[in-house]
Amino acid sequence: MYDQTRAQQPADRPSGPAGRRTTGPEPLLPSAEREEIVRCLGHAVNIFADSPREALEEAEGAFDEATAQLVNALAERRRALRAGWADLAPETQSTELRLALREYRELTGRLLRA
């Protein structure tokens, strides 16, 4: 049976356990950075009852860190995508260009769903 979702996945998608492809897109931020932001935000929630202003400042800091890291990650992803197709010869097969378009579409869709 044809699986349209699987067919639209890039061929170089990392594999999960036992060589199976992982489901869903890879996270934009590395797990260590995500975990640190979640830790800071959790700490803010935990101290809110005793120190509401401090909690809000900490939550704001976590938000600022998340947005800064996301902007950097997206800029790097854009740079890598563009480098993959910008220097191709005009007669390049449409397959390479189609893969780049698919990546742009997937990434933009993720942003719009966020």
Side-chain angles (χ1 to χ4, degrees):
M1 175 183 277
Y2 179 75
D3 183 348
Q4 183 177 3
T5 303
R6 178 175 285 167
Q8 292 177 348
Q9 299 300 316
D12 61 349
R13 170 102 14 168
S15 294
R20 293 187 340 225
R21 299 241 180 248
T22 57
T23 59
E26 66 182 58
L28 292 171
L29 300 180
S31 63
E33 281 89 1
R34 286 193 325 269
E35 289 171 12
E36 179 62 20
I37 293 166
V38 168
R39 187 196 62 74
C40 288
L41 195 54
H43 183 259
V45 169
N46 288 334
I47 67 169
F48 180 80
D50 295 327
S51 306
R53 185 166 296 277
E54 182 182 340
L56 289 173
E57 289 171 355
E58 190 163 344
E60 180 181 46
F63 178 81
D64 290 345
E65 182 64 24
T67 56
Q69 287 189 24
L70 183 58
V71 166
N72 289 338
L74 290 170
E76 176 57 29
R77 181 69 71 79
R78 180 187 183 279
R79 186 202 61 72
L81 276 171
R82 183 160 182 79
W85 65 266
D87 295 332
L88 294 176
E91 63 275 357
T92 299
Q93 295 294 324
S94 64
T95 302
E96 290 87 2
L97 300 175
R98 187 176 301 113
L99 290 173
L101 178 60
R102 184 181 300 161
E103 286 292 318
Y104 279 116
R105 183 182 68 190
E106 186 268 334
L107 188 56
T108 302
R110 287 173 63 190
L111 287 172
L112 294 174
R113 288 186 300 274

